[in-house]
């Protein structure tokens, strides 16, 4: 869900640009010069901060502490998630600049390209967005347990050897399915009701754009400020391969391939005290239990140019 705020006074605004040096495939220097050329004449002060990995969230928090009105982030979904975690609940405005492989968060906002994002920032429109947290950690697109976090480990190894691409991302997913082991056990509590789940994959969505891209249910619930939890029903390699093919064709079926749970609060317990999870395309080990909560309007972001109905079809 979104709500609108007063426009930014860019001529007086202090803008910090966080650059993830590892994101994307295009020439980084050329992108930085393009951003500088468009922003410097329009803003009160522009500060550039090249960072890597764990430095991203720290740099974003420092920018807020130093009084930045806007924190722009050039990078993929992992970069945007780290910056959002630092900005949520503050008065600083986030300006996502797509520079990764999938860029689901930027595309969710209607910012398909770097030019779109710069146009939106220069227009100065601001809106508030809901964010989800797991154990107080912000995630923007998705959180997952089981197969997907292990797929990310395999994908990173493939990227290190062959470079980054969507084709290689899909290839790593296929290899992970082929190496599937036993399903995991989760205990899920929603609205006071507890149930045991045995599944190779549990996927909690916060990106309506991503769900629509794969032809999956739940996009409206996400836009209305809820989580959409997908629990894979297939427990064998063959069943998951069949579901993966239907997913690629946009024909994945609720009730056949997955169960869907909608809520704005969830508790997920596991047999292990620490578990590998994936948040917005980045893997992490976190301590159980996992408490999910929605925070309405907690993140201020630049709004795309044009009326809501004109942003994206």
């Amino acid at each position: 869900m979104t709500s609108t705020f007063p426009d930014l006074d860019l001529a007086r605004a202090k803008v910090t640009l966080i650059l993830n040096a590892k994101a994307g495939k295009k020439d980084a220097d050329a992108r930085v010069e393009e951003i500088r050329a468009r922003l410097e004449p329009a803003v009160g002060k522009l500060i550039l901060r090249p960072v890597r990995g764990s430095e991203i969230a720290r740099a974003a928090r420092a920018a807020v502490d130093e009084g930045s009105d806007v924190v722009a982030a050039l990078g993929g979904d992992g970069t945007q998630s780290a910056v959002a975690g630092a900005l949520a609940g503050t008065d600083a405005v986030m300006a996502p600049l797509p520079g990764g492989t999938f860029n689901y968060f930027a595309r969710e906002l209607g910012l398909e390209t770097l030019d779109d994002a710069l146009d939106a920032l220069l227009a100065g429109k601001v809106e508030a967005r809901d964010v989800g947290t797991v154990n107080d950690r912000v995630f923007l697109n998705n959180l997952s347990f089981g197969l997907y976090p292990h797929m990310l480990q395999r994908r990173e190894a493939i990227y290190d050897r062959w470079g980054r691409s969507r084709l290689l991302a899909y290839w790593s997913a296929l290899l992970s399915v082929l190496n599937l082991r036993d399903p995991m056990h989760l205990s899920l509590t929603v609205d006071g009701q507890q149930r045991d789940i045995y599944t190779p994959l549990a996927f909690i969505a916060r990106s309506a754009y991503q769900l629509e891209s794969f032809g999956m249910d739940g996009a409206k619930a996400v836009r209305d400020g809820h989580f959409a939890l997908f629990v894979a029903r297939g427990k064998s390699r063959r069943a998951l391969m069949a579901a993966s093919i239907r997913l690629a064709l946009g024909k994945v079926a609720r009730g056949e391939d997955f169960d869907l749970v909608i809520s704005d609060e969830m508790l997920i317990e596991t047999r292990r005290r620490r578990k590998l999870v994936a948040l917005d395309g980045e893997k992490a080990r976190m301590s159980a239990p996992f408490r999910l909560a929605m925070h309405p309007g907690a993140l201020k972001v630049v709004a795309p140019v044009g009326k809501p109905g004109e942003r994206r079809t």
Side-chain angles (χ1 to χ4, degrees):
M1 299 177 68
T2 62
S3 56
T4 304
F5 280 79
D7 295 352
L8 283 168
D9 184 0
L10 285 176
R12 300 175 61 182
K14 181 178 180 180
V15 179
T16 295
L17 172 60
I18 294 177
L19 308 165
N20 184 354
K22 293 180 65 177
K25 297 180 293 183
K26 296 182 180 179
D27 182 72
D29 291 338
R31 288 187 296 174
V32 172
E33 287 307 310
E34 177 186 357
I35 296 167
R36 187 198 296 270
R38 295 197 63 185
L39 294 186
E40 278 189 331
V43 305
K45 184 176 183 180
L46 179 64
I47 301 170
L48 271 61
R49 287 194 173 173
V51 297
R52 289 180 180 271
S54 60
E55 301 172 355
I56 295 171
R58 185 164 59 248
R61 287 192 294 268
V64 174
D65 293 341
E66 294 164 6
S68 291
D69 302 292
V70 179
V71 179
L74 176 63
D77 287 313
T79 298
Q80 308 302 341
S81 183
V83 172
L87 269 58
T90 74
D91 290 330
V93 176
M94 181 177 173
L97 305 180
T101 304
F102 293 102
N103 303 310
Y104 282 124
F105 181 62
R107 294 162 77 185
E108 173 82 21
L109 297 172
L111 310 176
E112 292 282 344
T113 66
L114 179 58
D115 281 340
D116 291 339
L118 291 174
D119 288 344
L121 175 52
L122 292 170
K125 301 291 184 182
V126 180
E127 62 186 26
R129 307 280 299 195
D130 302 341
V131 295
T133 60
V134 53
N135 294 357
D136 297 323
R137 178 169 173 174
V138 168
F139 66 99
L140 299 174
N141 300 320
N142 53 66
L143 165 71
S144 59
F145 302 85
L147 183 63
Y148 186 61
H150 294 284
M151 185 206 78
L152 290 181
Q153 285 186 316
R154 186 179 298 274
R155 188 172 80 182
E156 287 180 3
I158 292 175
Y159 278 178
D160 288 342
R161 182 173 182 180
W162 301 104
R164 303 172 66 91
S165 75
R166 295 190 184 188
L167 179 60
L168 290 176
Y170 296 139
W171 174 246
S172 65
L174 174 61
L175 292 179
S176 297
V177 171
L178 293 175
N179 286 276
L180 176 68
R181 297 182 180 179
D182 294 334
M184 63 183 169
H185 170 251
L186 300 175
S187 175
L188 172 67
T189 303
V190 175
D191 298 329
Q193 300 295 315
Q194 187 267 339
R195 58 185 282 201
D196 290 324
I197 296 172
Y198 294 88
T199 180
L201 173 65
F203 182 91
I204 299 99
R206 274 300 304 149
S207 170
Y209 182 94
Q210 186 178 31
L211 295 181
E212 291 171 341
S213 297
F214 287 101
M216 300 180 71
D217 294 340
K220 183 180 184 303
V222 168
R223 289 200 173 96
D224 288 342
H226 304 292
F227 295 112
L229 166 61
F230 296 86
V231 179
R233 303 194 74 180
K235 297 178 176 62
S236 66
R237 293 184 183 90
R238 177 178 294 181
L240 280 177
M241 285 295 296
S244 298
I245 293 171
R246 287 191 289 271
L247 180 63
L249 296 174
K251 296 181 179 180
V252 66
R254 176 180 178 180
E256 179 180 350
D257 298 311
F258 62 86
D259 292 322
L260 175 60
V261 179
I262 303 295
S263 181
D264 53 9
E265 287 188 4
M266 297 182 183
L267 174 66
I268 298 175
E269 299 174 272
T270 65
R271 289 179 174 175
R272 294 185 178 181
R273 293 184 61 184
R274 290 183 62 80
K275 191 167 184 65
L276 185 67
V277 302
L279 303 95
D280 295 334
E282 303 290 337
K283 66 183 189 303
R285 287 202 176 272
M286 298 184 67
S287 298
F290 299 93
R291 301 181 185 277
L292 284 80
M294 287 300 306
H295 303 268
L299 181 66
K300 296 179 182 177
V301 298
V302 295
V305 177
K307 298 177 181 179
E310 299 171 346
R311 294 176 191 169
R312 176 172 55 83
T313 58

